[in-house]
Amino acid sequence: MIVRSIKWLLISISLIALFLLAAGATVAVMAVQKQPLVASTAPTQLDGADSVNTLLAQLQRAFSRREEGHQITLTETQVESLVGVLQRALPEFKGRVNISPIGGTVSVTYAIKDTGYYVNASALVLPGNSLQVQQLQVGNLAIPGRFLLSFLEYVVNTYTKSEIATIALSRVEEVTMRDGELSLNVGRLDTFLAELNVAASNLSQSEASELEVLTAYYLRYISGREIALSVTPVSLTEYLREGMARAREQSHSKSEAALHNKAVILALAVYVGHHRVGNLVGDIQPYADKALKPKVGAVLHNRNDLARHFIISAALELLAEQGMSLAIGEFKELMDRGQGGSGYSFVDLAADMSGAKFGSVAINPEKAIEVQNAIARIQNELEIITPINNLPEGLSKQTFTQVYGGVDSQAYLDEVKEIQRRLDEIALYSL
């Protein structure tokens, strides 16, 4: 009797497994298609990058005046520019946004590499007195919007052990649309921001990772060195020398060297780049109410902005998908073309590309120890960053368009190619 029961249990489990496998295969077949839904190009979308400054100003005002209601307006140009920077980093991804008085459509396509198949998805957002998604279409599958929002709300709340998603949805009091423009009337955000702190606290209660512990260690170590107290600008190479020297002492294998190098770069990105980079790593600041920073900012080519571009790009290269740091740097420069910005700068882009290259080399286990040794004897900044002579900068949007057209033009690509040529001549990056 027991044997028969076990036999039928095993048969039942096998049938359930076969059913789930068949259902999964069916869903997969229905989700993929042979033709892309979206064929937009990143260069065209990125042309409106400077318009995002307006959106950022609205968000900053909403967060700073959190006890008031606000209206946040998004345009097709702004959203597509953000989609463009993602596509610049992930060429397999394409997106398109269309906003009309009766609804807004978000369409995306992801090309499955080396298969000739695509995952296509589109969602229809409706105007009303709350956030309403009519449906999500994934390939030939249609998912009701109400179910989708409820599912996402449950997942986010469960993962963060908070009510952050529920509160966020409740803050949307009205959605209105016009041709090419969507407006959100949101309620006071103080409750939302307080719950955001709860969610962040819940997520950080898990045991700190080894990288988080090491980054916190190097942040304290570097901030305690004599160069941190200098009242005159110090080259970023000196900070790297201090950090990498300590990393070399602590590394006993190739893999340990790569991990320690990564922690040094992240610590410096927080210390001399921007303290908010630390949020991407974890709880690394020793004082909750005061971020560590040097008396005077670090420099490269006698410029603080280039040191920050370099080290933050290096950190982003470690934390993001390959190519994301360059895409973000390029997008920031495109934003700067607008009124009030510093203008497009190939000099800044050279610092971004140099930093990203340094980051990728420093954490390669086969090269990490050599990087530590090279930084220990570094004599010149040009051993880590390209020369910046004859690289255009301060270009307004009008001038940029007149000279280069867009980021897919040959003239633009030639400038990037020249920066890459200079990078290739740096010995450290040809290890």
Side-chain angles (χ1 to χ4, degrees):
M1 186 69 177
I2 295 177
V3 173
R4 182 179 298 177
S5 298
I6 293 175
K7 176 182 177 181
W8 280 110
L9 177 61
L10 292 174
I11 291 174
S12 300
I13 292 174
S14 299
L15 290 174
I16 292 172
L18 286 173
F19 173 78
L20 291 175
L21 183 62
T26 301
V27 169
V29 169
M30 294 181 67
V32 299
Q33 297 176 317
K34 290 187 176 181
Q35 298 296 326
L37 178 64
V38 181
S40 59
T41 60
T44 302
Q45 293 173 318
L46 287 172
D47 188 56
D50 52 299
S51 67
V52 176
N53 287 307
T54 305
L55 174 60
L56 294 178
Q58 293 181 71
L59 294 174
Q60 184 176 13
R61 183 169 59 252
F63 289 141
S64 62
R65 296 162 59 179
R66 61 189 64 186
E67 295 183 357
E68 304 174 13
H70 297 271
Q71 183 177 80
I72 298 173
T73 301
L74 301 89
T75 66
E76 285 182 2
T77 301
Q78 291 167 341
V79 179
E80 291 226 334
S81 293
L82 296 172
V83 171
V85 71
L86 181 58
Q87 183 182 336
R88 196 71 169 166
L90 302 172
E92 300 86 1
F93 172 87
K94 295 182 185 296
R96 183 182 64 232
V97 178
N98 180 267
I99 304 174
S100 72
I102 60 174
T105 304
V106 180
S107 305
V108 298
T109 289
Y110 186 83
I112 304 175
K113 192 174 182 180
D114 300 327
T115 65
Y117 286 93
Y118 303 86
V119 176
N120 296 316
S122 62
L124 177 61
V125 181
L126 301 176
N129 56 6
S130 64
L131 181 61
Q132 301 176 45
V133 178
Q134 186 179 61
Q135 73 172 22
L136 172 68
Q137 187 81 24
V138 182
N140 295 318
L141 293 172
I143 303 172
R146 182 175 298 178
F147 170 80
L148 174 67
L149 287 177
S150 297
F151 175 74
L152 292 176
E153 180 182 352
Y154 171 78
V155 169
V156 173
N157 284 348
T158 301
Y159 180 72
T160 61
K161 300 177 183 178
S162 71
E163 296 297 316
I164 187 66
T166 303
I167 295 175
L169 289 172
S170 71
R171 296 303 87 186
V172 180
E173 298 177 345
E174 185 179 14
V175 178
T176 58
M177 299 182 188
R178 295 176 287 278
D179 285 327
E181 189 175 279
L182 178 149
S183 294
L184 297 172
N185 285 347
V186 296
R188 51 189 296 170
L189 297 177
D190 50 346
T191 305
F192 168 76
L193 294 174
E195 190 68 10
L196 188 61
N197 290 332
V198 172
S201 176
N202 290 340
L203 291 175
S204 65
Q205 284 178 1
S206 58
E207 185 176 351
S209 68
E210 186 176 6
L211 177 61
E212 182 180 341
V213 172
L214 280 176
T215 303
Y217 166 76
Y218 282 111
L219 177 60
R220 295 191 303 271
Y221 178 80
I222 293 168
S223 66
R225 309 307 291 171
E226 187 176 346
I227 58 172
L229 302 176
S230 174
V231 295
T232 58
V234 176
S235 172
L236 179 62
T237 59
E238 295 302 314
Y239 283 98
L240 283 170
R241 194 200 309 271
E242 293 279 1
M244 289 297 178
R246 187 61 173 168
R248 184 166 59 171
E249 294 173 359
Q250 302 293 314
S251 304
H252 304 291
S253 66
K254 292 180 179 180
S255 60
E256 282 189 0
L259 179 62
H260 281 265
N261 288 359
K262 187 173 186 177
V264 169
I265 291 171
L266 293 174
L268 284 174
V270 173
Y271 190 61
V272 302
H274 197 290
H275 69 275
R276 292 196 184 278
V277 175
N279 296 336
L280 303 175
V281 185
D283 185 15
I284 62 174
Q285 292 285 354
Y287 310 110
D289 58 344
K290 183 181 179 181
L292 294 176
K293 61 181 180 179
K295 280 187 172 294
V296 179
V299 295
L300 282 173
H301 290 303
N302 294 315
R303 288 172 50 168
N304 174 247
D305 63 322
L306 297 187
R308 296 178 68 184
H309 273 274
F310 180 98
I311 198 63
I312 291 176
S313 291
L316 290 176
E317 187 69 15
L318 310 184
L319 296 170
E321 291 286 340
Q322 186 174 9
M324 181 62 78
S325 59
L326 175 58
I328 293 173
E330 185 179 63
F331 185 68
K332 191 268 181 188
E333 295 307 319
L334 290 168
M335 289 175 62
D336 282 345
R337 299 176 308 173
Q339 186 176 4
S342 59
Y344 193 99
S345 171
F346 284 99
V347 173
D348 290 352
L349 189 62
D352 292 330
M353 293 173 65
S354 298
K357 188 65 176 178
F358 179 79
S360 65
V361 171
I363 66 166
N364 184 331
E366 298 304 317
K367 302 175 181 179
I369 293 176
E370 293 180 67
V371 170
Q372 292 175 351
N373 293 332
I375 296 300
R377 59 177 182 267
I378 190 170
Q379 298 295 318
N380 193 300
E381 291 180 346
L382 294 179
E383 295 179 47
I384 63 169
I385 187 172
T386 69
I388 60 173
N389 57 295
N390 301 322
L391 292 178
E393 62 177 331
L395 302 174
S396 67
K397 183 173 184 178
Q398 181 180 0
T399 302
F400 181 91
T401 303
Q402 289 174 348
V403 177
Y404 299 102
V407 295
D408 58 344
S409 71
Q410 190 58 50
Y412 180 88
L413 295 175
D414 285 344
E415 295 285 4
V416 177
K417 186 177 180 180
E418 170 59 20
I419 297 173
Q420 185 60 53
R421 184 193 67 78
R422 298 181 186 191
L423 267 178
D424 292 340
E425 292 183 348
I426 296 177
L428 181 64
Y429 303 148
S430 60
L431 286 176

